[in-house]
Amino acid sequence: MKRLLLIVLLWATPLMAVQPDEILDDPVLEDRARDLSKGLRCLVCRNESIDESDATLARDLRLLVRERLVAGDSDAEVIDFVVDRYGEFVLLNPTRTGANWLLWAAGPLMLLLAGGMGLVYVRGRAQSAAPGEAPLNDAEKSRLDEILRR
């Protein structure tokens, strides 16, 4: 029974971030607010959405989203308002436009570049002649014989 209670509490933890006084009376608006909140980053917690975060700033952002929805803004207008105010960093999934293309493409491009460089290196090593040992000259042979006799 204790394990079941622990599992239920751990499972419900992210749901406890939204306080009862934040929830809108209109279930349609509340669902829209929840969907929008899941896509916005908590600026304090960094990799949590404002829907999951207990930070004060996350609460303020949740309230702001709900205020904008009650005022009649569309989902895009709410997101634009928050991005204009806090910057594009507030989006958990940044847009793929403008300078962000470089960031989105950097990972795959670096992988291709590293793979190409590795291929060139391996082929270069395969084609190069293995360094061999030069045979001993007469002076080296006599010196070696002298050392071995001692």
Side-chain angles (χ1 to χ4, degrees), residues 1 15 18-19 29 37 39 43 49 59 65 75 82 105 107 109 120 123-124 128 139 141 143 145 150:
M1 184 65 178
L15 300 176
V18 177
Q19 302 299 318
L29 283 179
S37 295
L43 299 172
S49 70
R59 175 180 164 74
V65 166
D75 292 356
V82 173
L109 288 176
V120 167
R123 283 194 177 178
S128 67
K141 283 182 186 177
R143 176 74 180 132
D145 288 338
R150 290 185 191 176

PDB file of all heavy atoms in Angstrom, residues 1 15 18-19 29 37 39 43 49 59 65 75 82 105 107 109 120 123-124 128 139 141 143 145 150:
ATOM      1  N   MET A   1       0.823  -1.190   0.000  1.00  0.00           N
ATOM      2  CA  MET A   1       0.000   0.000   0.000  1.00  0.00           C
ATOM      3  C   MET A   1       0.869   1.258   0.000  1.00  0.00           C
ATOM      4  O   MET A   1       0.561   2.224  -0.678  1.00  0.00           O
ATOM      5  CB  MET A   1      -0.932  -0.049   1.220  1.00  0.00           C
ATOM      6  CG  MET A   1      -1.898   1.076   1.269  1.00  0.00           C
ATOM      7  SD  MET A   1      -3.013   0.947  -0.140  1.00  0.00           S
ATOM      8  CE  MET A   1      -4.054   2.298   0.151  1.00  0.00           C
ATOM      9  N   LEU A  15       1.894  17.590 -11.797  1.00  0.00           N
ATOM     10  CA  LEU A  15       0.557  18.153 -11.876  1.00  0.00           C
ATOM     11  C   LEU A  15       0.269  19.134 -10.748  1.00  0.00           C
ATOM     12  O   LEU A  15      -0.656  19.909 -10.817  1.00  0.00           O
ATOM     13  CB  LEU A  15      -0.481  17.033 -11.861  1.00  0.00           C
ATOM     14  CG  LEU A  15      -0.380  16.031 -13.000  1.00  0.00           C
ATOM     15  CD1 LEU A  15      -1.406  14.925 -12.814  1.00  0.00           C
ATOM     16  CD2 LEU A  15      -0.531  16.707 -14.331  1.00  0.00           C
ATOM     17  N   VAL A  18       0.564  23.679 -10.962  1.00  0.00           N
ATOM     18  CA  VAL A  18      -0.525  24.624 -11.198  1.00  0.00           C
ATOM     19  C   VAL A  18      -1.389  24.639  -9.949  1.00  0.00           C
ATOM     20  O   VAL A  18      -1.967  23.636  -9.558  1.00  0.00           O
ATOM     21  CB  VAL A  18      -1.343  24.232 -12.439  1.00  0.00           C
ATOM     22  CG1 VAL A  18      -2.514  25.174 -12.621  1.00  0.00           C
ATOM     23  CG2 VAL A  18      -0.462  24.225 -13.671  1.00  0.00           C
ATOM     24  N   GLN A  19      -1.482  25.793  -9.341  1.00  0.00           N
ATOM     25  CA  GLN A  19      -2.241  25.947  -8.102  1.00  0.00           C
ATOM     26  C   GLN A  19      -3.734  26.042  -8.412  1.00  0.00           C
ATOM     27  O   GLN A  19      -4.136  26.509  -9.477  1.00  0.00           O
ATOM     28  CB  GLN A  19      -1.781  27.216  -7.372  1.00  0.00           C
ATOM     29  CG  GLN A  19      -0.306  27.233  -7.045  1.00  0.00           C
ATOM     30  CD  GLN A  19       0.097  26.094  -6.125  1.00  0.00           C
ATOM     31  OE1 GLN A  19      -0.614  25.784  -5.183  1.00  0.00           O
ATOM     32  NE2 GLN A  19       1.221  25.471  -6.424  1.00  0.00           N
ATOM     33  N   LEU A  29     -10.707  27.061 -22.150  1.00  0.00           N
ATOM     34  CA  LEU A  29      -9.591  28.000 -21.954  1.00  0.00           C
ATOM     35  C   LEU A  29      -8.489  27.379 -21.091  1.00  0.00           C
ATOM     36  O   LEU A  29      -7.307  27.594 -21.344  1.00  0.00           O
ATOM     37  CB  LEU A  29     -10.081  29.301 -21.315  1.00  0.00           C
ATOM     38  CG  LEU A  29     -10.803  30.282 -22.219  1.00  0.00           C
ATOM     39  CD1 LEU A  29     -11.237  31.512 -21.428  1.00  0.00           C
ATOM     40  CD2 LEU A  29      -9.949  30.687 -23.392  1.00  0.00           C
ATOM     41  N   SER A  37       1.268  26.381 -21.829  1.00  0.00           N
ATOM     42  CA  SER A  37       2.230  26.346 -20.721  1.00  0.00           C
ATOM     43  C   SER A  37       3.246  25.225 -20.879  1.00  0.00           C
ATOM     44  O   SER A  37       4.373  25.333 -20.420  1.00  0.00           O
ATOM     45  CB  SER A  37       1.500  26.178 -19.389  1.00  0.00           C
ATOM     46  OG  SER A  37       0.691  27.292 -19.125  1.00  0.00           O
ATOM     47  N   GLY A  39       4.643  24.375 -23.562  1.00  0.00           N
ATOM     48  CA  GLY A  39       5.637  24.759 -24.562  1.00  0.00           C
ATOM     49  C   GLY A  39       6.501  25.926 -24.149  1.00  0.00           C
ATOM     50  O   GLY A  39       7.387  26.330 -24.896  1.00  0.00           O
ATOM     51  N   LEU A  43      12.062  30.199 -16.816  1.00  0.00           N
ATOM     52  CA  LEU A  43      13.345  30.901 -16.916  1.00  0.00           C
ATOM     53  C   LEU A  43      14.221  30.681 -15.694  1.00  0.00           C
ATOM     54  O   LEU A  43      15.406  30.975 -15.723  1.00  0.00           O
ATOM     55  CB  LEU A  43      13.098  32.388 -17.151  1.00  0.00           C
ATOM     56  CG  LEU A  43      12.337  32.697 -18.439  1.00  0.00           C
ATOM     57  CD1 LEU A  43      11.964  34.153 -18.506  1.00  0.00           C
ATOM     58  CD2 LEU A  43      13.117  32.274 -19.650  1.00  0.00           C
ATOM     59  N   SER A  49       8.986  23.069 -18.144  1.00  0.00           N
ATOM     60  CA  SER A  49       7.978  23.982 -18.658  1.00  0.00           C
ATOM     61  C   SER A  49       7.374  24.746 -17.482  1.00  0.00           C
ATOM     62  O   SER A  49       7.491  24.323 -16.332  1.00  0.00           O
ATOM     63  CB  SER A  49       6.888  23.203 -19.402  1.00  0.00           C
ATOM     64  OG  SER A  49       6.121  22.457 -18.492  1.00  0.00           O
ATOM     65  N   ARG A  59       4.891  30.688 -12.085  1.00  0.00           N
ATOM     66  CA  ARG A  59       3.505  30.991 -11.704  1.00  0.00           C
ATOM     67  C   ARG A  59       3.055  32.285 -12.364  1.00  0.00           C
ATOM     68  O   ARG A  59       1.945  32.366 -12.902  1.00  0.00           O
ATOM     69  CB  ARG A  59       3.392  31.086 -10.181  1.00  0.00           C
ATOM     70  CG  ARG A  59       2.019  31.516  -9.694  1.00  0.00           C
ATOM     71  CD  ARG A  59       1.974  31.582  -8.171  1.00  0.00           C
ATOM     72  NE  ARG A  59       0.850  32.321  -7.649  1.00  0.00           N
ATOM     73  CZ  ARG A  59      -0.403  31.903  -7.631  1.00  0.00           C
ATOM     74  NH1 ARG A  59      -0.702  30.722  -8.132  1.00  0.00           N
ATOM     75  NH2 ARG A  59      -1.370  32.643  -7.117  1.00  0.00           N
ATOM     76  N   VAL A  65      -0.316  33.953 -19.155  1.00  0.00           N
ATOM     77  CA  VAL A  65      -0.915  33.204 -20.264  1.00  0.00           C
ATOM     78  C   VAL A  65      -2.425  33.145 -20.089  1.00  0.00           C
ATOM     79  O   VAL A  65      -3.187  33.387 -21.033  1.00  0.00           O
ATOM     80  CB  VAL A  65      -0.313  31.774 -20.337  1.00  0.00           C
ATOM     81  CG1 VAL A  65      -1.135  30.876 -21.247  1.00  0.00           C
ATOM     82  CG2 VAL A  65       1.128  31.833 -20.812  1.00  0.00           C
ATOM     83  N   ASP A  75      -3.899  31.574 -29.513  1.00  0.00           N
ATOM     84  CA  ASP A  75      -2.699  30.900 -29.002  1.00  0.00           C
ATOM     85  C   ASP A  75      -1.432  31.546 -29.560  1.00  0.00           C
ATOM     86  O   ASP A  75      -0.464  31.766 -28.832  1.00  0.00           O
ATOM     87  CB  ASP A  75      -2.725  29.411 -29.358  1.00  0.00           C
ATOM     88  CG  ASP A  75      -3.821  28.654 -28.628  1.00  0.00           C
ATOM     89  OD1 ASP A  75      -4.511  29.269 -27.781  1.00  0.00           O
ATOM     90  OD2 ASP A  75      -3.981  27.453 -28.898  1.00  0.00           O
ATOM     91  N   VAL A  82       4.489  36.601 -25.145  1.00  0.00           N
ATOM     92  CA  VAL A  82       5.484  36.106 -24.184  1.00  0.00           C
ATOM     93  C   VAL A  82       6.885  36.165 -24.791  1.00  0.00           C
ATOM     94  O   VAL A  82       7.845  36.560 -24.125  1.00  0.00           O
ATOM     95  CB  VAL A  82       5.122  34.680 -23.713  1.00  0.00           C
ATOM     96  CG1 VAL A  82       6.218  34.094 -22.847  1.00  0.00           C
ATOM     97  CG2 VAL A  82       3.808  34.686 -22.957  1.00  0.00           C
ATOM     98  N   ALA A 105      21.053  23.070 -37.480  1.00  0.00           N
ATOM     99  CA  ALA A 105      21.863  22.312 -38.436  1.00  0.00           C
ATOM    100  C   ALA A 105      23.262  22.013 -37.913  1.00  0.00           C
ATOM    101  O   ALA A 105      23.948  21.159 -38.473  1.00  0.00           O
ATOM    102  CB  ALA A 105      21.956  23.092 -39.746  1.00  0.00           C
ATOM    103  N   GLY A 107      24.481  20.425 -35.264  1.00  0.00           N
ATOM    104  CA  GLY A 107      24.722  19.048 -34.813  1.00  0.00           C
ATOM    105  C   GLY A 107      24.925  18.080 -35.971  1.00  0.00           C
ATOM    106  O   GLY A 107      25.966  17.403 -36.046  1.00  0.00           O
ATOM    107  N   LEU A 109      25.604  18.767 -39.082  1.00  0.00           N
ATOM    108  CA  LEU A 109      26.761  19.185 -39.883  1.00  0.00           C
ATOM    109  C   LEU A 109      28.065  18.782 -39.217  1.00  0.00           C
ATOM    110  O   LEU A 109      28.998  18.320 -39.884  1.00  0.00           O
ATOM    111  CB  LEU A 109      26.732  20.695 -40.117  1.00  0.00           C
ATOM    112  CG  LEU A 109      25.674  21.194 -41.091  1.00  0.00           C
ATOM    113  CD1 LEU A 109      25.691  22.719 -41.159  1.00  0.00           C
ATOM    114  CD2 LEU A 109      25.879  20.602 -42.468  1.00  0.00           C
ATOM    115  N   VAL A 120      38.807  10.269 -44.068  1.00  0.00           N
ATOM    116  CA  VAL A 120      40.062  10.718 -44.695  1.00  0.00           C
ATOM    117  C   VAL A 120      41.262  10.220 -43.900  1.00  0.00           C
ATOM    118  O   VAL A 120      42.251   9.743 -44.467  1.00  0.00           O
ATOM    119  CB  VAL A 120      40.082  12.259 -44.833  1.00  0.00           C
ATOM    120  CG1 VAL A 120      41.461  12.770 -45.182  1.00  0.00           C
ATOM    121  CG2 VAL A 120      39.063  12.700 -45.867  1.00  0.00           C
ATOM    122  N   ARG A 123      41.635   6.323 -44.392  1.00  0.00           N
ATOM    123  CA  ARG A 123      42.138   6.016 -45.739  1.00  0.00           C
ATOM    124  C   ARG A 123      43.596   6.440 -45.893  1.00  0.00           C
ATOM    125  O   ARG A 123      44.375   5.754 -46.539  1.00  0.00           O
ATOM    126  CB  ARG A 123      41.278   6.695 -46.789  1.00  0.00           C
ATOM    127  CG  ARG A 123      39.980   5.992 -47.001  1.00  0.00           C
ATOM    128  CD  ARG A 123      39.295   6.459 -48.238  1.00  0.00           C
ATOM    129  NE  ARG A 123      38.087   5.698 -48.446  1.00  0.00           N
ATOM    130  CZ  ARG A 123      37.257   5.905 -49.424  1.00  0.00           C
ATOM    131  NH1 ARG A 123      37.501   6.857 -50.297  1.00  0.00           N
ATOM    132  NH2 ARG A 123      36.181   5.171 -49.548  1.00  0.00           N
ATOM    133  N   GLY A 124      43.947   7.562 -45.316  1.00  0.00           N
ATOM    134  CA  GLY A 124      45.336   8.025 -45.389  1.00  0.00           C
ATOM    135  C   GLY A 124      46.282   7.075 -44.682  1.00  0.00           C
ATOM    136  O   GLY A 124      47.387   6.808 -45.149  1.00  0.00           O
ATOM    137  N   SER A 128      49.354   4.793 -46.534  1.00  0.00           N
ATOM    138  CA  SER A 128      50.749   5.123 -46.232  1.00  0.00           C
ATOM    139  C   SER A 128      51.533   3.848 -45.959  1.00  0.00           C
ATOM    140  O   SER A 128      51.016   2.875 -45.430  1.00  0.00           O
ATOM    141  CB  SER A 128      50.835   6.061 -45.033  1.00  0.00           C
ATOM    142  OG  SER A 128      50.422   5.395 -43.871  1.00  0.00           O
ATOM    143  N   ALA A 139      79.238  -0.415 -38.819  1.00  0.00           N
ATOM    144  CA  ALA A 139      79.694   0.170 -37.555  1.00  0.00           C
ATOM    145  C   ALA A 139      78.716  -0.182 -36.436  1.00  0.00           C
ATOM    146  O   ALA A 139      79.126  -0.490 -35.305  1.00  0.00           O
ATOM    147  CB  ALA A 139      79.827   1.680 -37.690  1.00  0.00           C
ATOM    148  N   LYS A 141      76.701  -2.813 -36.368  1.00  0.00           N
ATOM    149  CA  LYS A 141      76.802  -4.248 -36.104  1.00  0.00           C
ATOM    150  C   LYS A 141      77.985  -4.557 -35.190  1.00  0.00           C
ATOM    151  O   LYS A 141      77.878  -5.348 -34.254  1.00  0.00           O
ATOM    152  CB  LYS A 141      76.951  -5.023 -37.400  1.00  0.00           C
ATOM    153  CG  LYS A 141      75.662  -5.184 -38.161  1.00  0.00           C
ATOM    154  CD  LYS A 141      75.902  -6.007 -39.405  1.00  0.00           C
ATOM    155  CE  LYS A 141      74.646  -6.056 -40.246  1.00  0.00           C
ATOM    156  NZ  LYS A 141      74.832  -6.784 -41.485  1.00  0.00           N
ATOM    157  N   ARG A 143      79.437  -2.519 -33.068  1.00  0.00           N
ATOM    158  CA  ARG A 143      79.151  -1.960 -31.735  1.00  0.00           C
ATOM    159  C   ARG A 143      78.201  -2.886 -30.976  1.00  0.00           C
ATOM    160  O   ARG A 143      78.368  -3.120 -29.785  1.00  0.00           O
ATOM    161  CB  ARG A 143      78.552  -0.551 -31.892  1.00  0.00           C
ATOM    162  CG  ARG A 143      78.128   0.084 -30.614  1.00  0.00           C
ATOM    163  CD  ARG A 143      79.315   0.543 -29.790  1.00  0.00           C
ATOM    164  NE  ARG A 143      78.827   1.151 -28.567  1.00  0.00           N
ATOM    165  CZ  ARG A 143      79.282   0.877 -27.363  1.00  0.00           C
ATOM    166  NH1 ARG A 143      80.308   0.049 -27.215  1.00  0.00           N
ATOM    167  NH2 ARG A 143      78.788   1.450 -26.312  1.00  0.00           N
ATOM    168  N   ASP A 145      77.817  -6.153 -31.456  1.00  0.00           N
ATOM    169  CA  ASP A 145      78.570  -7.352 -31.075  1.00  0.00           C
ATOM    170  C   ASP A 145      79.432  -7.092 -29.853  1.00  0.00           C
ATOM    171  O   ASP A 145      79.542  -7.945 -28.959  1.00  0.00           O
ATOM    172  CB  ASP A 145      79.445  -7.821 -32.251  1.00  0.00           C
ATOM    173  CG  ASP A 145      78.614  -8.423 -33.361  1.00  0.00           C
ATOM    174  OD1 ASP A 145      77.478  -8.852 -33.076  1.00  0.00           O
ATOM    175  OD2 ASP A 145      79.097  -8.455 -34.516  1.00  0.00           O
ATOM    176  N   ARG A 150      80.004  -8.435 -23.626  1.00  0.00           N
ATOM    177  CA  ARG A 150      80.292  -8.061 -22.245  1.00  0.00           C
ATOM    178  C   ARG A 150      79.503  -8.828 -21.288  1.00  0.00           C
ATOM    179  O   ARG A 150      78.671  -9.415 -21.061  1.00  0.00           O
ATOM    180  CB  ARG A 150      80.033  -6.586 -22.015  1.00  0.00           C
ATOM    181  CG  ARG A 150      81.033  -5.721 -22.709  1.00  0.00           C
ATOM    182  CD  ARG A 150      80.770  -4.307 -22.334  1.00  0.00           C
ATOM    183  NE  ARG A 150      81.555  -3.425 -23.197  1.00  0.00           N
ATOM    184  CZ  ARG A 150      81.492  -2.149 -23.165  1.00  0.00           C
ATOM    185  NH1 ARG A 150      80.689  -1.546 -22.365  1.00  0.00           N
ATOM    186  NH2 ARG A 150      82.228  -1.426 -23.951  1.00  0.00           N
TER     187      ARG A 150
END
